Amino acid sequence: MAKTIFITGASMGFGKLWVEALLERGDNVAATSRTADAYQTLKERYGERFLPIQLDITDRSAAIAAVQRTKEHFGSLDVVINNAGYGLFGAIEEVDEQAVKDIFEANVFGTLWVTQGAVHIFREQKHGHIIQLSSVLGIWTLPTLGIYNATKFAVEGLSEALASEVEQFGIKVTLIEPNGFTTDFGGTSAVQSGSIPAYDDLKSSLAHTEGLLPEDYGDPKATVPAILQLIDETKPPLRLFLGKVGLPKTERVYAEKLHTWKSWDHVAIAAHG
């Protein structure tokens, strides 16, 4: 049975691939972008099954209205995918105030506004699936991506709490946590901070010290079957890695965290009073 899917940031990267695959298999899709002209070819090909929406997700009223428009256009809504967002590269000391505010507006608040619009509809109809594009960098960190880390850690926290709040209404929540893929994440869609020479050696060594070699980056097209399976799943997981890097590194990182917590547990217990 065809589903109705609303997806943000769908003019490039993962979003574009997923929209095309969903339309090709017969689903109804509403796709947002800052410029709806990006979807002219798809609109011509799929007609009323495709709804392009020009949207700045940082505008709360517009974001909620876009989700509602999708429901009204298609008569139903099954899945909302919060895919929009971008990266900010720079050491914590290097990033400027406006760049930090801007990425939080897009990655965190934009996700929140669309989510609020989706929950309102899904709660009333007693079913729905919210899929949040997080990252492995919402689970562990990389140097010079600390602010991006912070936005994805925030998405993880709000989405995990959301899942426990809305389960009673028949609403499912899934966090997608991709490792690096050969998208435009580090290209034209990214923001680069200013540079402080003291961090130059760190930046030049990251590829080798943090496992960022070419073979560690996945093929975006390979994510399509996983997304289709996730959308069709009646009992979707709260979290889903995409790629082969996420699980083994997460196991190492959390083993180290547990070791530290346990080794300092006597101090923690004493602090309880």
Side-chain angles (χ1 to χ4, degrees):
M1 181 178 294
K3 293 180 180 291
T4 299
I5 296 100
F6 174 95
I7 179 169
T8 64
S11 63
M12 60 193 304
F14 286 140
K16 183 179 180 181
L17 285 169
W18 299 344
V19 165
E20 291 173 348
L22 290 163
L23 288 168
E24 186 175 339
R25 76 170 192 168
D27 291 319
N28 301 315
V29 179
T32 80
S33 173
R34 285 181 177 270
T35 55
D37 292 344
Y39 301 123
Q40 187 60 38
T41 301
L42 290 177
K43 183 61 178 174
E44 292 172 357
R45 184 184 308 167
Y46 294 103
E48 289 303 304
R49 284 205 298 109
F50 180 61
L51 178 64
I53 300 175
Q54 185 171 341
L55 176 66
D56 175 359
I57 60 170
T58 66
D59 183 332
R60 182 177 185 267
S61 296
I64 293 173
V67 182
Q68 183 63 40
R69 179 183 169 191
T70 302
K71 169 70 182 297
E72 293 171 354
H73 179 83
F74 292 113
S76 64
L77 183 59
D78 301 297
V79 181
V80 167
I81 304 176
N82 271 305
N83 173 68
Y86 64 92
L88 172 59
F89 290 76
I92 299 299
E93 185 184 359
E94 293 176 324
V95 294
D96 66 66
E97 180 181 1
Q98 193 59 52
V100 173
K101 289 180 176 179
D102 287 346
I103 193 172
F104 268 87
E105 284 287 345
N107 291 11
V108 180
F109 291 107
T111 295
L112 175 57
W113 307 148
V114 172
T115 297
Q116 288 181 332
V119 169
H120 177 72
I121 292 171
F122 289 162
R123 180 168 50 80
E124 289 188 339
Q125 68 186 22
K126 302 189 187 309
H127 71 86
H129 188 185
I130 299 171
I131 299 175
Q132 316 280 48
L133 192 73
S134 179
S135 169
V136 292
L137 299 184
I139 302 171
W140 34 263
T141 65
L142 284 179
T144 74
L145 276 166
I147 301 302
Y148 178 76
N149 280 128
T151 67
K152 292 305 183 180
F153 270 65
V155 170
E156 290 272 335
L158 75 86
S159 300
E160 183 175 308
L162 172 70
S164 60
E165 293 170 355
V166 301
E167 182 181 12
Q168 62 180 316
F169 307 124
I171 303 172
K172 310 298 183 184
V173 178
T174 299
L175 286 151
I176 298 177
E177 299 154 335
N179 53 227
F181 279 79
T182 54
T183 63
D184 192 49
F185 175 76
T188 58
S189 64
V191 173
Q192 304 287 338
S193 72
S195 180
I196 296 175
Y199 296 99
D200 288 350
D201 288 345
L202 171 67
K203 293 175 184 177
S204 65
S205 68
L206 280 177
H208 294 281
T209 60
E210 297 294 341
L212 303 179
L213 301 174
E215 59 268 26
D216 296 314
Y217 289 83
D219 177 1
K221 294 179 181 178
T223 66
V224 169
I227 295 303
L228 298 183
Q229 181 178 347
L230 177 64
I231 286 173
D232 292 340
E233 178 60 50
T234 57
K235 295 182 179 180
L238 175 59
R239 289 184 168 83
L240 173 65
F241 285 125
L242 292 182
K244 65 181 183 180
V245 175
L247 181 58
K249 177 154 185 177
T250 300
E251 288 177 330
R252 293 196 300 272
V253 168
Y254 273 79
E256 293 171 1
K257 288 185 177 184
L258 286 167
H259 174 75
T260 301
W261 282 322
K262 288 178 179 179
S263 66
W264 281 81
D265 192 47
H266 63 288
V267 178
I269 293 172
H272 188 77

